[in-house]
Amino acid sequence: MKRSIAIGFFLFLMIPSKSFSQEKRLKDFFHFKNKKIESAVAPDTIQVIDDNMFTIDDSYLDSLAWEEQRILEEEMRADIDTGQIILFYDSPVEVSEQLYIDSVWVTIREYYSIWSSNKINPYDLDGENFSDTVKLPLTYANPSLDWSMPLEQMTITSPFGLRRWKWHYGDDIRLNVGDSVHVAFDGIVRLARYDRYGYGYYILVRHYNGLETLYGHLSKQLVEPGDILKAGDVLGLGGSTGRSSGPHLHFEVRYQGNAIKPTDVFDFDNNALISPELEINASTFSYLKEARKVRYHRVRSGDTLSYISYRYGVSISTICRLNGIRRNSILRIGQRIRIT
């Protein structure tokens, strides 16, 4: 089932030019109006945290090494005049205008123009300022693109939303260590990494409709970046790695790096999709106003930067930067320490 992206390019660059006239089945979802993230903090976005709370940290480790991908054979450069020069794994590659994957035409410019092997969110899209409406197909009648629930039984133990002091950007699903975890839609693995302070072993898959899904706290990863998957393929085994209080699957749905409530896409109770088409508009990301509130820890007797860092899953360097202090600064009882 799995094929590397490089092999995919080699095999499909020789597609006859007459096929390029076929109607694209995927719309360009990547061009719309959006503003830059504003740094100003509104007066009503401050919250002081005083009780014991824990979180999932979205930190990332150093990028995995990638062997440079280059196309050297002249015969594979089918019609250079119709090609696009894009940045692929940090090296310029000559590719044809369209790529044929599992009977679906994917425009290279749309699909690979932003492709990071070390960041979950490499996109320049602020969901809070999203003003357009796009409709993403979740199924295709012809050709057939499948979908699948990540687990046979989808029981939510911690839902998308505010969890104690920090926003939870996915649904936690009950499982046993070693349970098979399935990919939700057809797509290509973009990340397979380890984050000891957050997701543990996790996998992120880019799907052909513009969505991405993330699977966290795995005990084992069974795929690698570049692998092409069909919906329902097993990509890993359930576990409790990273910042986890017990075995579960942390499942996220994202559009251009911004999380979407999974239950807006899936009806877990009835093992079905909410709709064959997902509409994304400003209301989809309305939760971000609450999620981005600035929050503080109030210092108590015995508190240290190390304790605050561990308690909230925020690095000491980040805490120092947010508060304009140093690692050896003396904390005062009652002092407010910004943590987000």
Side-chain angles (χ1 to χ4, degrees), residues 169-195:
Y169 289 96
D171 284 336
D172 287 349
I173 312 298
R174 179 181 294 123
L175 55 60
N176 296 315
V177 174
D179 284 353
S180 296
V181 178
H182 307 266
V183 63
F185 300 101
D186 298 6
I188 300 177
V189 178
R190 184 162 70 79
L191 296 176
R193 301 174 58 79
Y194 179 71
D195 171 17

Side-chain angles (χ1 to χ4, degrees), residues 69-82:
Q69 304 290 324
R70 293 182 182 275
I71 299 176
L72 299 178
E73 298 297 332
E74 187 66 30
E75 63 269 18
M76 288 187 176
R77 298 178 181 175
D79 196 356
I80 292 178
D81 292 337
T82 64

Side-chain angles (χ1 to χ4, degrees), residues 72-110:
L72 299 178
E73 298 297 332
E74 187 66 30
E75 63 269 18
M76 288 187 176
R77 298 178 181 175
D79 196 356
I80 292 178
D81 292 337
T82 64
Q84 295 283 335
I85 298 293
I86 61 171
L87 192 64
F88 185 64
Y89 295 141
D90 301 322
S91 63
V93 178
E94 186 89 38
V95 297
S96 295
E97 170 64 17
Q98 292 177 308
L99 176 65
Y100 195 64
I101 300 178
D102 294 329
S103 303
V104 176
W105 283 102
V106 177
T107 300
I108 299 297
R109 182 180 61 256
E110 298 170 0

Side-chain angles (χ1 to χ4, degrees), residues 207-225:
H207 304 294
Y208 306 140
N209 55 13
L211 293 177
E212 293 183 323
T213 52
L214 183 148
Y215 311 79
H217 305 306
L218 304 174
S219 61
K220 187 175 184 179
Q221 298 163 323
L222 301 178
V223 296
E224 299 177 352

Side-chain angles (χ1 to χ4, degrees), residues 6-273:
I7 293 176
F9 276 112
F10 294 162
L11 292 178
F12 298 119
L13 287 175
M14 297 300 293
I15 297 174
S17 59
K18 64 179 181 180
S19 298
F20 296 162
S21 63
Q22 286 187 243
E23 180 182 358
K24 288 197 311 179
R25 299 185 184 278
L26 297 182
K27 185 180 177 181
D28 184 351
F29 300 118
F30 296 87
H31 295 85
F32 43 77
K33 302 174 183 177
N34 81 289
K35 302 176 182 178
K36 297 293 184 181
I37 298 176
E38 300 294 335
S39 59
V41 177
D44 63 346
T45 60
I46 294 178
Q47 178 178 348
V48 178
I49 309 302
D50 284 315
D51 57 339
N52 293 323
M53 291 170 268
F54 295 91
T55 183
I56 293 177
D57 180 32
D58 292 339
S59 62
Y60 315 110
L61 302 180
D62 293 335
S63 63
L64 298 178
W66 275 92
E67 181 181 355
E68 226 179 346
Q69 304 290 324
R70 293 182 182 275
I71 299 176
L72 299 178
E73 298 297 332
E74 187 66 30
E75 63 269 18
M76 288 187 176
R77 298 178 181 175
D79 196 356
I80 292 178
D81 292 337
T82 64
Q84 295 283 335
I85 298 293
I86 61 171
L87 192 64
F88 185 64
Y89 295 141
D90 301 322
S91 63
V93 178
E94 186 89 38
V95 297
S96 295
E97 170 64 17
Q98 292 177 308
L99 176 65
Y100 195 64
I101 300 178
D102 294 329
S103 303
V104 176
W105 283 102
V106 177
T107 300
I108 299 297
R109 182 180 61 256
E110 298 170 0
Y111 204 75
Y112 294 107
S113 58
I114 299 178
W115 187 274
S116 172
S117 60
N118 57 23
K119 290 184 178 180
I120 289 179
N121 184 6
Y123 309 100
D124 185 21
L125 168 64
D126 179 8
E128 192 171 3
N129 295 321
F130 188 84
S131 59
D132 289 353
T133 296
V134 295
K135 295 183 178 181
L136 306 183
L138 302 181
T139 62
Y140 296 84
N142 183 24
S144 175
L145 282 187
D146 299 323
W147 67 274
S148 172
M149 289 294 182
L151 298 170
E152 293 183 5
Q153 184 67 37
M154 299 291 290
T155 302
I156 298 176
T157 58
S158 182
F160 181 98
L162 188 63
R163 186 168 68 181
R164 295 192 176 184
W165 69 275
K166 190 174 182 181
W167 201 265
H168 188 221
Y169 289 96
D171 284 336
D172 287 349
I173 312 298
R174 179 181 294 123
L175 55 60
N176 296 315
V177 174
D179 284 353
S180 296
V181 178
H182 307 266
V183 63
F185 300 101
D186 298 6
I188 300 177
V189 178
R190 184 162 70 79
L191 296 176
R193 301 174 58 79
Y194 179 71
D195 171 17
R196 64 175 177 169
Y197 296 114
Y199 296 114
Y201 287 108
Y202 71 94
I203 293 168
L204 184 143
V205 181
R206 170 85 65 85
H207 304 294
Y208 306 140
N209 55 13
L211 293 177
E212 293 183 323
T213 52
L214 183 148
Y215 311 79
H217 305 306
L218 304 174
S219 61
K220 187 175 184 179
Q221 298 163 323
L222 301 178
V223 296
E224 299 177 352
D227 285 348
I228 297 177
L229 304 179
K230 293 290 291 181
D233 283 351
V234 177
L235 51 74
L237 303 180
S240 184
T241 57
R243 193 175 183 86
S244 171
S245 58
H248 70 278
L249 172 69
H250 177 76
F251 178 60
E252 293 184 6
V253 178
R254 289 174 173 258
Y255 176 71
Q256 291 284 281
N258 293 268
I260 296 173
K261 191 176 182 180
T263 51
D264 285 347
V265 181
F266 298 95
D267 180 352
F268 293 149
D269 293 334
N270 296 304
N271 192 34
L273 293 173

